[in-house]
Amino acid sequence: MRALASPDSKRCLMPRERLLVKSATVPGRLDAVVVGAGFSGLYMLHKLRELGLSAKVFDSASDVGGTWYWNRYPGARCDIPTTDYAYSFDPELDKEWTWSEKYATQPEILDYLRFVADRYGLRSDIEFSTSVTSARWDEQENRWRITTDRGNEVSSRYYIMASGCLSMPKPPDIEGAGRFAGQVYFTSRWPHEGADFTGQRVAVIGTGSSGIQAIPLIARQAGELTVFQRTPNFSIPAHNGPAPADRLKQLAEDREGYRHAARWSRGGIPTELTDILGIAASDEVRRQRFEAAWEQGELFAILGVFADQGFNPASNDIVAEMIREKIRSAVSDPETAETLSPKDHYFGTKRPCLDTSYFETFNLPHVRLVDLRRQPITSITEDGIDTPDESFDIDALVFATGFDAMTGALVGVDVVGRDGLSLKEKWAAGPSTYLGLTTVGFPNFFMITGPGSPSVLSNMTVSIEQHVEWIADCLKDMSTEGFETVEPTELAESGWDQHVRDCGAITLYPTANSWYMGANVPGKPRVFLPYIGGVDAYRRACDDVAAQGYLGFRMTGPRGDRCQDGVIRRMQPDVAMVLDMIAQLGLPPLDALPVADARAMMAAVATARPPGPEVGEVIDGVMPGPDGDLPYRLYRPPSSAEGPHPIVVYFHGGGWVLGDLDSDDPLCRDLCARSGAIVVSVNYRHAPEARFPAAAQDAFTAVQWVDANAAMLGGIPGQLAVAGWSAGANIAAVACQLARDAGGPRLSGQLLLTPVVDSDMTRLSYTENGDGYILTTALMRWFWDHYANPADRGDPRAAPLRGHLEGLPPACIVAADFDPLRDDGIAYASALGASGTPVHLIRARGHTHTSLTMVDVVISGAPVRAEIAAALSDFFPAVTAPAR
Ligand code: NA7
């Protein structure tokens, strides 16, 4: 082992760092106060010292350790392999500590943190057994005034909460909780001297991670053990033992490479992600992947059996059912097994657990499970626990009832920012943060692993290091540039909150009553608290913020202010993911290909996508066109919706060059199933074989034919609308103008999905989005060149925006944020509106030109398509749409 660093090593600053030294040594005046001496607080203190800043850490515990100081219950271990659950900032430190097991016990992790504290001489700046009770921002001084329960008051430039995500125990919310006269234990506040349950009648309330870890060990001692379970939890065997050999080998061969991979992984552990979809895999593949993950005994393995299990209920259920099977085979009594089998939430949406013989414990004759759903606790009494039918006399009661997670410790301190607003008040309806690190109204205030950061969904140590390093870099940059305060802007914060919500919304997580959702604490707002976009994506966002001059932060100082306002992530997360995946395929741009090859590529891509929803019936046919037959495909709504139905004539996208009846098939199914209308998708003639105005002529002819044959098609005569996507929306809009000019057919509406309505490619959306979102400016140019001569491009049959816009049917226009055609759509909506046409403009926030059509791939498109379908149904007010 290397000699311990001198506690004074912080004074040995490199010349560059000397610049950062503040006027630190005035008693009671500090550069930084940190709350908490766990993993976060210790590393934060170390970094602050490296910067030459004066800092003090306060912790209510009598030693370092944070969560590992308090959670001393029997069986307490981490549930991330300890090879990964360690600091990586100092390779020497990393090499000096060897864990004894795959999942280290609480005493060993606590020893590790003590070792770290001593190695860096951190204790001299930590005040133990001291809680920070309030922190108030002093507007005059630009400093925090911080008071402790020992009556100390300190003034600090920065205030950093390193108070942990699971550190504020949830107060017992059970009738009579304080009444029990025997021994009472909380897993989160276990006595240092331990507990001896030998021969006792013990009750444990709670079957989360803590309960599941503690119960098998308590059962070994207890004379009788009764477990009171409200919600059964998914748990997999930890298969604890020596640290995994493969990881040790990787670390030995390339420690830095391994740690780097962890930092840029999805969850903070280097893991190979699968692209196998549960719904598409064979039974054999499903079983093989599941059993391998089960054997591995790691949370990220079982959470990653299939790529879609976090999103797709059917895929999730495959994994869930296999776990339930395992529970049934482990527990001898079928009724107990059933009670232990989780069925009320999707696997992973409540924190899954790792256990050692948890389920098998219920086979022991002295262990009993009480299902609180069937037999709720009416009261805790002096002697035990009462339920409606039974009283349980006990000697000891263990509460394993969890925490006020993620926000409890933060609002537990009276933190008051600008204008006297407290953090508790600000967050009354749920937390709001920028990057989970900062929050508006609280200058120079940082949270480590706060809500809105990956924190509890990741390997905490990796997330902690990233936060600490980001904060340290920020303080360093501020100092270098002469700024004294930093605070996020409203715009940046609301943008981040939205992004955090968007990321959660595409997963199954918000469906569960979990502590991720604040649902375990009565009265707590139901908000999905962590950021689920991944450690890698999150780190990239934080880095981008810094690289863009601290985008979304206002910095002030004696030399002036700086504010680069903006939103760091506006794109829907699944759209960004799909774009990344497409980029990785390295496909050539369509506009670089001959038309035949471009068509072949599009067709090949289409074969790999999900088929879209079931509809009642699909019929292929042909209709007469101006120059030969036009193929069509008719989609009838699911049989539950009785016909006849309104009809929508639909034209596919593809720049007048690409596409066919198959290309938009999932979208047509989706529109049909959601709106309850018959969709007739028409394949029109394509360029360059048939140039302008062939496609437009075909569209109008198709509309006329469908109108004339509505009854034969199962439609309601006179209830006809047109729809299209992209170039298909172009010819749909043109067909409306031609129908008006021809005096019919009378159309009930036009649905224009990200339409081309003009040949002018100079609108701002072309500049902003013309490169990199599949439909590029170059591709639009390629389309136009194939479709229409320059001289024709101003013709209203090519550019309907330039036509007469009076007397047209009501319109629903969809404009996507990241689409070169966004402003085309908006311009058409406003021009139609100005001409007296009712217009419903749907802004597809965070979407691209193509993403809304990616049914069952881009999940965030589903609510937008629901809105589109509702607008489509509204074209036919006399007809009842199916329940949505
Ligand atoms: P958890 O995971 O929140 O588990 C708490 C357990 O206590 C859970 O089974 C709860 O049931 C149960 N509980 C809570 N309140 C009650 C009441 N009033 N009556 C009955 N049962 C109750 O906390 P843990 O300490 O186990 O684990 C926290 C995290 O630490 C863990 O996820 C790891 O990340 C480490 P519920 O599910 O709410 O119905």
Side-chain angles (χ1 to χ4, degrees), residues 618-622 632-635 661-662:
V618 179
I619 304 169
D620 281 349
V622 290
Y632 73 85
R633 181 168 296 167
L634 181 143
Y635 303 82
L661 293 181
D662 291 331

Side-chain angles (χ1 to χ4, degrees), residues 170 173-174 206-210 230-231 350-351 400-402 515:
K170 188 184 88 151
D173 49 356
I174 301 173
T207 52
S209 249
S210 306
R230 185 163 68 184
T231 311
K350 284 175 87 128
R351 171 90 177 197
T401 44
W515 55 258

Side-chain angles (χ1 to χ4, degrees), residues 310-340:
F311 307 93
N312 187 315
S315 171
N316 189 287
D317 204 46
I318 295 166
V319 181
E321 186 47 32
M322 289 191 194
I323 299 177
R324 288 190 286 261
E325 255 176 38
K326 295 279 188 191
I327 297 172
R328 288 194 283 267
S329 69
V331 180
S332 335
D333 173 41
E335 201 181 320
T336 307
E338 219 37 48
T339 309
L340 286 165

Side-chain angles (χ1 to χ4, degrees), residues 122-190:
L122 298 174
R123 288 176 188 277
S124 56
D125 282 328
I126 306 175
E127 242 175 88
F128 293 110
S129 307
T130 309
S131 300
V132 169
T133 49
S134 79
R136 288 172 184 269
W137 178 248
D138 184 331
E139 203 85 47
Q140 254 58 51
E141 280 227 63
N142 274 346
R143 296 178 74 85
W144 285 95
R145 278 195 289 120
I146 289 152
T147 48
T148 72
D149 61 352
R150 294 189 163 211
N152 305 339
E153 181 166 324
V154 291
S155 159
S156 178
R157 174 76 67 212
Y158 302 108
Y159 176 50
I160 302 169
M161 289 294 269
S163 45
C165 291
L166 295 156
S167 50
M168 176 66 82
K170 188 184 88 151
D173 49 356
I174 301 173
E175 170 66 25
R179 223 180 283 158
F180 181 60
Q183 292 165 298
V184 177
Y185 300 92
F186 288 83
T187 49
S188 53
R189 291 290 179 269
W190 206 257

Side-chain angles (χ1 to χ4, degrees), residues 394-440:
I394 53 173
D395 304 308
L397 172 56
V398 177
F399 285 101
T401 44
F403 299 87
D404 183 350
M406 300 204 72
T407 54
L410 294 167
V411 299
V413 175
D414 185 27
V415 185
V416 180
R418 284 193 204 282
D419 306 321
L421 182 73
S422 74
L423 193 61
K424 196 172 184 171
E425 287 162 347
K426 179 178 170 181
W427 287 5
S432 175
T433 72
Y434 187 33
L435 302 171
L437 273 163
T438 59
T439 186
V440 174

Side-chain angles (χ1 to χ4, degrees), residues 656-670:
W656 309 281
V657 176
L658 313 172
D660 51 30
L661 293 181
D662 291 331
S663 61
D664 292 26
D665 187 74
L667 178 64
C668 288
R669 287 169 174 276
D670 196 81

Side-chain angles (χ1 to χ4, degrees), residues 67 71 73 77 79 166 170-174 187-188 205-212 228-233 344 350-353 372-373 377 400-403 456 513-516 519-520:
T67 213
N71 287 272
Y73 59 85
R77 292 176 187 272
D79 54 15
L166 295 156
K170 188 184 88 151
D173 49 356
I174 301 173
T187 49
S188 53
I205 302 178
T207 52
S209 249
S210 306
I212 282 178
F228 291 83
Q229 170 194 279
R230 185 163 68 184
T231 311
N233 232 324
D344 77 337
K350 284 175 87 128
R351 171 90 177 197
C353 308
L372 295 180
R373 305 269 178 209
I377 296 175
T401 44
F403 299 87
V456 292
N513 284 322
S514 63
W515 55 258
Y516 295 141
N520 64 328

